[in-house]
Amino acid sequence: MRTPNRSTSIVLLPLLAALLVAACGGTGSSPTPTASAPVDTPEAAAAAVKARIPLFDRIGPLDPNVIGADRWWEAVPLDAATPPAGWAITFTAGWGDCQAGCIDRHTWTWNVARDGTLTFVAEAGSMPTEEILAGLRGAATGTGAGGRVVAGPTCPVEQPNDPACAPRMVADAVLVVRDGAGKEVTRTTTDGSGLFRLALAPGEYVLEPQAVEGLMGTAQPLPFTVTDGGPAWLDVAYDTGIR
């Protein structure tokens, strides 16, 4: 059995952080401030991403001594300063014979500045299956809610399981949350990953997606319940108007 060749990926990650925007349709996004304390370690940078994305709650750092790992994060300094100006954090989900290095992988990369500002760089690799996404969602911790915002169709004639026609993630979608009395309790704006987390106490809520420029109409409101059993998951779907 063999482990993935990590040395090559670690050397290339600084370049990857800049170039992944062009890979697999990934797109960058505007910076998002998240942390009040300085982010001066890779662990703090990874925690800043997890604070916005529940899919990664139980993903730990890459351990080169572990054979068959299928989830990990890696960090690369953004510059040569000590401490650096920030970190490029890449989360990886792998599947398919991970004892031999994982046949398929999907990655998400953010740049995390020392002030806690997050800038989504790109996602790349094989499209994660519903089974993989369900496993990541099921491992999420805490209360509140999380989810993703997508737009489709992306092809005039869609073919089943065609990754080229998969829904695309939506950046700059404003999501408003109201309680049972109709009062706004919080709102968030997605970055280029389309992923989000909402800090909410247990209770009944409605998510109201707002109109997004360039997309047809507005996604439907989603009633949901927050419990102590882990974050609720919300899939928000916009219409691209492609027919």
PDB file of all heavy atoms in Angstrom, residues 41-77:
ATOM      1  N   THR A  41      -1.395  31.113  13.217  1.00  0.00           N
ATOM      2  CA  THR A  41      -0.993  29.721  13.086  1.00  0.00           C
ATOM      3  C   THR A  41      -1.860  29.055  12.031  1.00  0.00           C
ATOM      4  O   THR A  41      -2.987  29.508  11.758  1.00  0.00           O
ATOM      5  CB  THR A  41      -1.150  28.941  14.398  1.00  0.00           C
ATOM      6  OG1 THR A  41      -2.557  28.861  14.721  1.00  0.00           O
ATOM      7  CG2 THR A  41      -0.393  29.615  15.538  1.00  0.00           C
ATOM      8  N   PRO A  42      -1.380  27.966  11.420  1.00  0.00           N
ATOM      9  CA  PRO A  42      -2.228  27.230  10.478  1.00  0.00           C
ATOM     10  C   PRO A  42      -3.519  26.740  11.120  1.00  0.00           C
ATOM     11  O   PRO A  42      -4.584  26.760  10.493  1.00  0.00           O
ATOM     12  CB  PRO A  42      -1.336  26.055  10.051  1.00  0.00           C
ATOM     13  CG  PRO A  42       0.053  26.507  10.295  1.00  0.00           C
ATOM     14  CD  PRO A  42      -0.025  27.403  11.504  1.00  0.00           C
ATOM     15  N   GLU A  43      -3.427  26.303  12.375  1.00  0.00           N
ATOM     16  CA  GLU A  43      -4.620  25.808  13.067  1.00  0.00           C
ATOM     17  C   GLU A  43      -5.672  26.902  13.215  1.00  0.00           C
ATOM     18  O   GLU A  43      -6.881  26.656  13.048  1.00  0.00           O
ATOM     19  CB  GLU A  43      -4.234  25.253  14.446  1.00  0.00           C
ATOM     20  CG  GLU A  43      -3.395  23.987  14.415  1.00  0.00           C
ATOM     21  CD  GLU A  43      -1.944  24.228  14.037  1.00  0.00           C
ATOM     22  OE1 GLU A  43      -1.494  25.396  14.079  1.00  0.00           O
ATOM     23  OE2 GLU A  43      -1.249  23.247  13.702  1.00  0.00           O
ATOM     24  N   ALA A  44      -5.227  28.125  13.532  1.00  0.00           N
ATOM     25  CA  ALA A  44      -6.164  29.236  13.659  1.00  0.00           C
ATOM     26  C   ALA A  44      -6.789  29.578  12.315  1.00  0.00           C
ATOM     27  O   ALA A  44      -7.974  29.932  12.237  1.00  0.00           O
ATOM     28  CB  ALA A  44      -5.460  30.461  14.245  1.00  0.00           C
ATOM     29  N   ALA A  45      -6.001  29.470  11.241  1.00  0.00           N
ATOM     30  CA  ALA A  45      -6.536  29.746   9.906  1.00  0.00           C
ATOM     31  C   ALA A  45      -7.579  28.710   9.523  1.00  0.00           C
ATOM     32  O   ALA A  45      -8.646  29.050   8.978  1.00  0.00           O
ATOM     33  CB  ALA A  45      -5.401  29.765   8.890  1.00  0.00           C
ATOM     34  N   ALA A  46      -7.306  27.433   9.793  1.00  0.00           N
ATOM     35  CA  ALA A  46      -8.286  26.389   9.494  1.00  0.00           C
ATOM     36  C   ALA A  46      -9.553  26.582  10.313  1.00  0.00           C
ATOM     37  O   ALA A  46     -10.675  26.399   9.815  1.00  0.00           O
ATOM     38  CB  ALA A  46      -7.685  25.010   9.762  1.00  0.00           C
ATOM     39  N   ALA A  47      -9.393  26.984  11.588  1.00  0.00           N
ATOM     40  CA  ALA A  47     -10.559  27.222  12.441  1.00  0.00           C
ATOM     41  C   ALA A  47     -11.405  28.382  11.917  1.00  0.00           C
ATOM     42  O   ALA A  47     -12.638  28.364  12.033  1.00  0.00           O
ATOM     43  CB  ALA A  47     -10.109  27.501  13.866  1.00  0.00           C
ATOM     44  N   ALA A  48     -10.767  29.396  11.332  1.00  0.00           N
ATOM     45  CA  ALA A  48     -11.512  30.524  10.778  1.00  0.00           C
ATOM     46  C   ALA A  48     -12.393  30.079   9.616  1.00  0.00           C
ATOM     47  O   ALA A  48     -13.515  30.563   9.454  1.00  0.00           O
ATOM     48  CB  ALA A  48     -10.541  31.612  10.320  1.00  0.00           C
ATOM     49  N   VAL A  49     -11.892  29.146   8.801  1.00  0.00           N
ATOM     50  CA  VAL A  49     -12.715  28.621   7.707  1.00  0.00           C
ATOM     51  C   VAL A  49     -13.853  27.778   8.268  1.00  0.00           C
ATOM     52  O   VAL A  49     -15.017  27.915   7.853  1.00  0.00           O
ATOM     53  CB  VAL A  49     -11.861  27.785   6.732  1.00  0.00           C
ATOM     54  CG1 VAL A  49     -12.750  27.165   5.650  1.00  0.00           C
ATOM     55  CG2 VAL A  49     -10.773  28.639   6.097  1.00  0.00           C
ATOM     56  N   LYS A  50     -13.545  26.920   9.228  1.00  0.00           N
ATOM     57  CA  LYS A  50     -14.586  26.066   9.809  1.00  0.00           C
ATOM     58  C   LYS A  50     -15.691  26.885  10.461  1.00  0.00           C
ATOM     59  O   LYS A  50     -16.847  26.449  10.513  1.00  0.00           O
ATOM     60  CB  LYS A  50     -13.964  25.121  10.836  1.00  0.00           C
ATOM     61  CG  LYS A  50     -13.053  24.055  10.242  1.00  0.00           C
ATOM     62  CD  LYS A  50     -12.512  23.146  11.339  1.00  0.00           C
ATOM     63  CE  LYS A  50     -11.590  22.078  10.787  1.00  0.00           C
ATOM     64  NZ  LYS A  50     -11.121  21.142  11.844  1.00  0.00           N
ATOM     65  N   ALA A  51     -15.349  28.055  10.962  1.00  0.00           N
ATOM     66  CA  ALA A  51     -16.358  28.906  11.600  1.00  0.00           C
ATOM     67  C   ALA A  51     -17.432  29.339  10.612  1.00  0.00           C
ATOM     68  O   ALA A  51     -18.546  29.692  11.008  1.00  0.00           O
ATOM     69  CB  ALA A  51     -15.692  30.131  12.226  1.00  0.00           C
ATOM     70  N   ARG A  52     -17.101  29.322   9.309  1.00  0.00           N
ATOM     71  CA  ARG A  52     -18.076  29.694   8.274  1.00  0.00           C
ATOM     72  C   ARG A  52     -18.649  28.508   7.530  1.00  0.00           C
ATOM     73  O   ARG A  52     -19.700  28.613   6.901  1.00  0.00           O
ATOM     74  CB  ARG A  52     -17.430  30.634   7.251  1.00  0.00           C
ATOM     75  CG  ARG A  52     -17.411  32.085   7.654  1.00  0.00           C
ATOM     76  CD  ARG A  52     -16.903  32.972   6.530  1.00  0.00           C
ATOM     77  NE  ARG A  52     -17.704  32.888   5.313  1.00  0.00           N
ATOM     78  CZ  ARG A  52     -18.796  33.620   5.066  1.00  0.00           C
ATOM     79  NH1 ARG A  52     -19.219  34.485   5.966  1.00  0.00           N
ATOM     80  NH2 ARG A  52     -19.442  33.488   3.933  1.00  0.00           N
ATOM     81  N   ILE A  53     -17.968  27.345   7.604  1.00  0.00           N
ATOM     82  CA  ILE A  53     -18.350  26.195   6.771  1.00  0.00           C
ATOM     83  C   ILE A  53     -18.476  24.950   7.636  1.00  0.00           C
ATOM     84  O   ILE A  53     -17.465  24.353   8.031  1.00  0.00           O
ATOM     85  CB  ILE A  53     -17.302  25.943   5.662  1.00  0.00           C
ATOM     86  CG1 ILE A  53     -16.909  27.241   4.952  1.00  0.00           C
ATOM     87  CG2 ILE A  53     -17.833  24.905   4.685  1.00  0.00           C
ATOM     88  CD1 ILE A  53     -18.024  27.924   4.193  1.00  0.00           C
ATOM     89  N   PRO A  54     -19.680  24.467   7.946  1.00  0.00           N
ATOM     90  CA  PRO A  54     -19.817  23.298   8.814  1.00  0.00           C
ATOM     91  C   PRO A  54     -19.364  21.985   8.180  1.00  0.00           C
ATOM     92  O   PRO A  54     -19.133  21.016   8.897  1.00  0.00           O
ATOM     93  CB  PRO A  54     -21.320  23.267   9.128  1.00  0.00           C
ATOM     94  CG  PRO A  54     -21.964  24.024   8.024  1.00  0.00           C
ATOM     95  CD  PRO A  54     -20.980  25.071   7.618  1.00  0.00           C
ATOM     96  N   LEU A  55     -19.221  21.928   6.857  1.00  0.00           N
ATOM     97  CA  LEU A  55     -18.805  20.683   6.210  1.00  0.00           C
ATOM     98  C   LEU A  55     -17.450  20.193   6.716  1.00  0.00           C
ATOM     99  O   LEU A  55     -17.143  19.003   6.643  1.00  0.00           O
ATOM    100  CB  LEU A  55     -18.708  20.870   4.691  1.00  0.00           C
ATOM    101  CG  LEU A  55     -19.997  20.967   3.890  1.00  0.00           C
ATOM    102  CD1 LEU A  55     -19.679  21.056   2.404  1.00  0.00           C
ATOM    103  CD2 LEU A  55     -20.924  19.799   4.163  1.00  0.00           C
ATOM    104  N   PHE A  56     -16.627  21.090   7.226  1.00  0.00           N
ATOM    105  CA  PHE A  56     -15.250  20.742   7.554  1.00  0.00           C
ATOM    106  C   PHE A  56     -15.011  20.567   9.047  1.00  0.00           C
ATOM    107  O   PHE A  56     -13.865  20.459   9.487  1.00  0.00           O
ATOM    108  CB  PHE A  56     -14.303  21.821   7.017  1.00  0.00           C
ATOM    109  CG  PHE A  56     -14.515  22.141   5.560  1.00  0.00           C
ATOM    110  CD1 PHE A  56     -14.519  23.452   5.105  1.00  0.00           C
ATOM    111  CD2 PHE A  56     -14.729  21.136   4.627  1.00  0.00           C
ATOM    112  CE1 PHE A  56     -14.714  23.750   3.764  1.00  0.00           C
ATOM    113  CE2 PHE A  56     -14.922  21.420   3.286  1.00  0.00           C
ATOM    114  CZ  PHE A  56     -14.920  22.731   2.852  1.00  0.00           C
ATOM    115  N   ASP A  57     -16.074  20.520   9.846  1.00  0.00           N
ATOM    116  CA  ASP A  57     -15.931  20.531  11.300  1.00  0.00           C
ATOM    117  C   ASP A  57     -14.980  19.447  11.820  1.00  0.00           C
ATOM    118  O   ASP A  57     -14.194  19.694  12.727  1.00  0.00           O
ATOM    119  CB  ASP A  57     -17.299  20.364  11.970  1.00  0.00           C
ATOM    120  CG  ASP A  57     -18.059  21.678  12.047  1.00  0.00           C
ATOM    121  OD1 ASP A  57     -17.454  22.736  11.782  1.00  0.00           O
ATOM    122  OD2 ASP A  57     -19.265  21.653  12.358  1.00  0.00           O
ATOM    123  N   ARG A  58     -15.065  18.246  11.290  1.00  0.00           N
ATOM    124  CA  ARG A  58     -14.275  17.137  11.833  1.00  0.00           C
ATOM    125  C   ARG A  58     -13.053  16.800  10.980  1.00  0.00           C
ATOM    126  O   ARG A  58     -12.432  15.755  11.172  1.00  0.00           O
ATOM    127  CB  ARG A  58     -15.158  15.900  11.997  1.00  0.00           C
ATOM    128  CG  ARG A  58     -16.239  16.067  13.066  1.00  0.00           C
ATOM    129  CD  ARG A  58     -16.920  14.756  13.365  1.00  0.00           C
ATOM    130  NE  ARG A  58     -18.013  14.906  14.299  1.00  0.00           N
ATOM    131  CZ  ARG A  58     -17.881  14.895  15.631  1.00  0.00           C
ATOM    132  NH1 ARG A  58     -16.671  14.751  16.161  1.00  0.00           N
ATOM    133  NH2 ARG A  58     -18.931  15.025  16.416  1.00  0.00           N
ATOM    134  N   ILE A  59     -12.710  17.659  10.044  1.00  0.00           N
ATOM    135  CA  ILE A  59     -11.527  17.414   9.225  1.00  0.00           C
ATOM    136  C   ILE A  59     -10.297  17.953   9.939  1.00  0.00           C
ATOM    137  O   ILE A  59     -10.267  19.110  10.357  1.00  0.00           O
ATOM    138  CB  ILE A  59     -11.676  18.065   7.839  1.00  0.00           C
ATOM    139  CG1 ILE A  59     -12.827  17.398   7.066  1.00  0.00           C
ATOM    140  CG2 ILE A  59     -10.375  17.957   7.048  1.00  0.00           C
ATOM    141  CD1 ILE A  59     -13.041  17.945   5.677  1.00  0.00           C
ATOM    142  N   GLY A  60      -9.275  17.104  10.091  1.00  0.00           N
ATOM    143  CA  GLY A  60      -8.048  17.496  10.763  1.00  0.00           C
ATOM    144  C   GLY A  60      -6.928  17.743   9.774  1.00  0.00           C
ATOM    145  O   GLY A  60      -7.068  17.536   8.565  1.00  0.00           O
ATOM    146  N   PRO A  61      -5.762  18.177  10.270  1.00  0.00           N
ATOM    147  CA  PRO A  61      -4.635  18.457   9.380  1.00  0.00           C
ATOM    148  C   PRO A  61      -4.075  17.189   8.762  1.00  0.00           C
ATOM    149  O   PRO A  61      -4.241  16.081   9.297  1.00  0.00           O
ATOM    150  CB  PRO A  61      -3.615  19.114  10.323  1.00  0.00           C
ATOM    151  CG  PRO A  61      -3.954  18.584  11.680  1.00  0.00           C
ATOM    152  CD  PRO A  61      -5.442  18.423  11.695  1.00  0.00           C
ATOM    153  N   LEU A  62      -3.410  17.330   7.656  1.00  0.00           N
ATOM    154  CA  LEU A  62      -2.764  16.214   6.990  1.00  0.00           C
ATOM    155  C   LEU A  62      -1.740  15.567   7.915  1.00  0.00           C
ATOM    156  O   LEU A  62      -0.897  16.246   8.499  1.00  0.00           O
ATOM    157  CB  LEU A  62      -2.059  16.702   5.721  1.00  0.00           C
ATOM    158  CG  LEU A  62      -1.153  15.698   5.012  1.00  0.00           C
ATOM    159  CD1 LEU A  62      -1.965  14.559   4.435  1.00  0.00           C
ATOM    160  CD2 LEU A  62      -0.335  16.399   3.934  1.00  0.00           C
ATOM    161  N   ASP A  63      -1.819  14.248   8.047  1.00  0.00           N
ATOM    162  CA  ASP A  63      -0.845  13.485   8.820  1.00  0.00           C
ATOM    163  C   ASP A  63      -0.161  12.513   7.864  1.00  0.00           C
ATOM    164  O   ASP A  63      -0.760  11.520   7.444  1.00  0.00           O
ATOM    165  CB  ASP A  63      -1.541  12.723   9.941  1.00  0.00           C
ATOM    166  CG  ASP A  63      -0.553  11.994  10.847  1.00  0.00           C
ATOM    167  OD1 ASP A  63       0.618  11.838  10.451  1.00  0.00           O
ATOM    168  OD2 ASP A  63      -0.963  11.572  11.943  1.00  0.00           O
ATOM    169  N   PRO A  64       1.094  12.782   7.485  1.00  0.00           N
ATOM    170  CA  PRO A  64       1.775  11.921   6.509  1.00  0.00           C
ATOM    171  C   PRO A  64       1.990  10.502   6.999  1.00  0.00           C
ATOM    172  O   PRO A  64       2.323   9.619   6.205  1.00  0.00           O
ATOM    173  CB  PRO A  64       3.107  12.645   6.280  1.00  0.00           C
ATOM    174  CG  PRO A  64       3.310  13.478   7.493  1.00  0.00           C
ATOM    175  CD  PRO A  64       1.955  13.885   7.945  1.00  0.00           C
ATOM    176  N   ASN A  65       1.791  10.267   8.295  1.00  0.00           N
ATOM    177  CA  ASN A  65       1.983   8.925   8.840  1.00  0.00           C
ATOM    178  C   ASN A  65       0.720   8.069   8.779  1.00  0.00           C
ATOM    179  O   ASN A  65       0.767   6.888   9.113  1.00  0.00           O
ATOM    180  CB  ASN A  65       2.454   9.017  10.294  1.00  0.00           C
ATOM    181  CG  ASN A  65       3.793   9.700  10.422  1.00  0.00           C
ATOM    182  OD1 ASN A  65       4.713   9.392   9.672  1.00  0.00           O
ATOM    183  ND2 ASN A  65       3.893  10.644  11.353  1.00  0.00           N
ATOM    184  N   VAL A  66      -0.392   8.674   8.361  1.00  0.00           N
ATOM    185  CA  VAL A  66      -1.657   7.946   8.294  1.00  0.00           C
ATOM    186  C   VAL A  66      -1.856   7.402   6.879  1.00  0.00           C
ATOM    187  O   VAL A  66      -1.775   8.154   5.898  1.00  0.00           O
ATOM    188  CB  VAL A  66      -2.840   8.858   8.677  1.00  0.00           C
ATOM    189  CG1 VAL A  66      -4.167   8.139   8.430  1.00  0.00           C
ATOM    190  CG2 VAL A  66      -2.721   9.274  10.137  1.00  0.00           C
ATOM    191  N   ILE A  67      -2.087   6.104   6.779  1.00  0.00           N
ATOM    192  CA  ILE A  67      -2.352   5.469   5.492  1.00  0.00           C
ATOM    193  C   ILE A  67      -3.864   5.375   5.293  1.00  0.00           C
ATOM    194  O   ILE A  67      -4.595   4.937   6.181  1.00  0.00           O
ATOM    195  CB  ILE A  67      -1.724   4.066   5.429  1.00  0.00           C
ATOM    196  CG1 ILE A  67      -0.205   4.177   5.530  1.00  0.00           C
ATOM    197  CG2 ILE A  67      -2.120   3.348   4.144  1.00  0.00           C
ATOM    198  CD1 ILE A  67       0.495   2.837   5.596  1.00  0.00           C
ATOM    199  N   GLY A  68      -4.331   5.790   4.128  1.00  0.00           N
ATOM    200  CA  GLY A  68      -5.750   5.664   3.813  1.00  0.00           C
ATOM    201  C   GLY A  68      -6.607   6.834   4.223  1.00  0.00           C
ATOM    202  O   GLY A  68      -7.840   6.722   4.219  1.00  0.00           O
ATOM    203  N   ALA A  69      -6.001   7.969   4.588  1.00  0.00           N
ATOM    204  CA  ALA A  69      -6.804   9.137   4.965  1.00  0.00           C
ATOM    205  C   ALA A  69      -7.654   9.594   3.790  1.00  0.00           C
ATOM    206  O   ALA A  69      -7.213   9.573   2.636  1.00  0.00           O
ATOM    207  CB  ALA A  69      -5.892  10.269   5.423  1.00  0.00           C
ATOM    208  N   ASP A  70      -8.893  10.002   4.074  1.00  0.00           N
ATOM    209  CA  ASP A  70      -9.767  10.492   3.015  1.00  0.00           C
ATOM    210  C   ASP A  70     -10.264  11.910   3.269  1.00  0.00           C
ATOM    211  O   ASP A  70     -11.027  12.453   2.468  1.00  0.00           O
ATOM    212  CB  ASP A  70     -10.957   9.553   2.797  1.00  0.00           C
ATOM    213  CG  ASP A  70     -11.820   9.408   4.039  1.00  0.00           C
ATOM    214  OD1 ASP A  70     -11.460   9.988   5.096  1.00  0.00           O
ATOM    215  OD2 ASP A  70     -12.843   8.706   3.971  1.00  0.00           O
ATOM    216  N   ARG A  71      -9.842  12.524   4.376  1.00  0.00           N
ATOM    217  CA  ARG A  71     -10.199  13.913   4.687  1.00  0.00           C
ATOM    218  C   ARG A  71      -8.987  14.561   5.343  1.00  0.00           C
ATOM    219  O   ARG A  71      -8.414  14.004   6.279  1.00  0.00           O
ATOM    220  CB  ARG A  71     -11.376  13.992   5.669  1.00  0.00           C
ATOM    221  CG  ARG A  71     -12.627  13.223   5.261  1.00  0.00           C
ATOM    222  CD  ARG A  71     -13.421  13.946   4.208  1.00  0.00           C
ATOM    223  NE  ARG A  71     -14.688  13.266   3.989  1.00  0.00           N
ATOM    224  CZ  ARG A  71     -14.870  12.229   3.184  1.00  0.00           C
ATOM    225  NH1 ARG A  71     -13.837  11.745   2.510  1.00  0.00           N
ATOM    226  NH2 ARG A  71     -16.056  11.678   3.033  1.00  0.00           N
ATOM    227  N   TRP A  72      -8.616  15.754   4.916  1.00  0.00           N
ATOM    228  CA  TRP A  72      -7.533  16.465   5.575  1.00  0.00           C
ATOM    229  C   TRP A  72      -7.495  17.912   5.108  1.00  0.00           C
ATOM    230  O   TRP A  72      -8.115  18.276   4.113  1.00  0.00           O
ATOM    231  CB  TRP A  72      -6.180  15.803   5.282  1.00  0.00           C
ATOM    232  CG  TRP A  72      -5.762  15.827   3.834  1.00  0.00           C
ATOM    233  CD1 TRP A  72      -5.105  16.829   3.167  1.00  0.00           C
ATOM    234  CD2 TRP A  72      -5.976  14.796   2.868  1.00  0.00           C
ATOM    235  NE1 TRP A  72      -4.901  16.482   1.852  1.00  0.00           N
ATOM    236  CE2 TRP A  72      -5.417  15.235   1.637  1.00  0.00           C
ATOM    237  CE3 TRP A  72      -6.571  13.536   2.906  1.00  0.00           C
ATOM    238  CZ2 TRP A  72      -5.447  14.475   0.472  1.00  0.00           C
ATOM    239  CZ3 TRP A  72      -6.607  12.767   1.744  1.00  0.00           C
ATOM    240  CH2 TRP A  72      -6.048  13.250   0.551  1.00  0.00           C
ATOM    241  N   TRP A  73      -6.795  18.752   5.884  1.00  0.00           N
ATOM    242  CA  TRP A  73      -6.524  20.112   5.423  1.00  0.00           C
ATOM    243  C   TRP A  73      -5.021  20.352   5.434  1.00  0.00           C
ATOM    244  O   TRP A  73      -4.281  19.722   6.201  1.00  0.00           O
ATOM    245  CB  TRP A  73      -7.264  21.174   6.226  1.00  0.00           C
ATOM    246  CG  TRP A  73      -6.981  21.270   7.700  1.00  0.00           C
ATOM    247  CD1 TRP A  73      -7.757  20.782   8.721  1.00  0.00           C
ATOM    248  CD2 TRP A  73      -5.876  21.936   8.343  1.00  0.00           C
ATOM    249  NE1 TRP A  73      -7.205  21.081   9.933  1.00  0.00           N
ATOM    250  CE2 TRP A  73      -6.045  21.790   9.742  1.00  0.00           C
ATOM    251  CE3 TRP A  73      -4.769  22.629   7.883  1.00  0.00           C
ATOM    252  CZ2 TRP A  73      -5.148  22.315  10.668  1.00  0.00           C
ATOM    253  CZ3 TRP A  73      -3.868  23.165   8.802  1.00  0.00           C
ATOM    254  CH2 TRP A  73      -4.070  22.996  10.172  1.00  0.00           C
ATOM    255  N   GLU A  74      -4.580  21.245   4.560  1.00  0.00           N
ATOM    256  CA  GLU A  74      -3.181  21.637   4.457  1.00  0.00           C
ATOM    257  C   GLU A  74      -3.098  23.161   4.446  1.00  0.00           C
ATOM    258  O   GLU A  74      -3.996  23.832   3.948  1.00  0.00           O
ATOM    259  CB  GLU A  74      -2.549  21.070   3.185  1.00  0.00           C
ATOM    260  CG  GLU A  74      -2.516  19.557   3.134  1.00  0.00           C
ATOM    261  CD  GLU A  74      -2.091  19.029   1.781  1.00  0.00           C
ATOM    262  OE1 GLU A  74      -0.869  18.930   1.542  1.00  0.00           O
ATOM    263  OE2 GLU A  74      -2.982  18.737   0.959  1.00  0.00           O
ATOM    264  N   ALA A  75      -2.008  23.678   4.984  1.00  0.00           N
ATOM    265  CA  ALA A  75      -1.811  25.122   5.061  1.00  0.00           C
ATOM    266  C   ALA A  75      -0.470  25.496   4.458  1.00  0.00           C
ATOM    267  O   ALA A  75       0.532  24.818   4.690  1.00  0.00           O
ATOM    268  CB  ALA A  75      -1.867  25.598   6.516  1.00  0.00           C
ATOM    269  N   VAL A  76      -0.443  26.572   3.685  1.00  0.00           N
ATOM    270  CA  VAL A  76       0.781  27.102   3.096  1.00  0.00           C
ATOM    271  C   VAL A  76       0.829  28.593   3.371  1.00  0.00           C
ATOM    272  O   VAL A  76      -0.158  29.307   3.140  1.00  0.00           O
ATOM    273  CB  VAL A  76       0.823  26.848   1.573  1.00  0.00           C
ATOM    274  CG1 VAL A  76       2.021  27.545   0.946  1.00  0.00           C
ATOM    275  CG2 VAL A  76       0.885  25.356   1.291  1.00  0.00           C
ATOM    276  N   PRO A  77       1.940  29.115   3.880  1.00  0.00           N
ATOM    277  CA  PRO A  77       2.042  30.561   4.129  1.00  0.00           C
ATOM    278  C   PRO A  77       1.843  31.366   2.843  1.00  0.00           C
ATOM    279  O   PRO A  77       2.270  30.948   1.767  1.00  0.00           O
ATOM    280  CB  PRO A  77       3.473  30.727   4.662  1.00  0.00           C
ATOM    281  CG  PRO A  77       3.863  29.374   5.158  1.00  0.00           C
ATOM    282  CD  PRO A  77       3.169  28.393   4.269  1.00  0.00           C
TER     283      PRO A  77
END
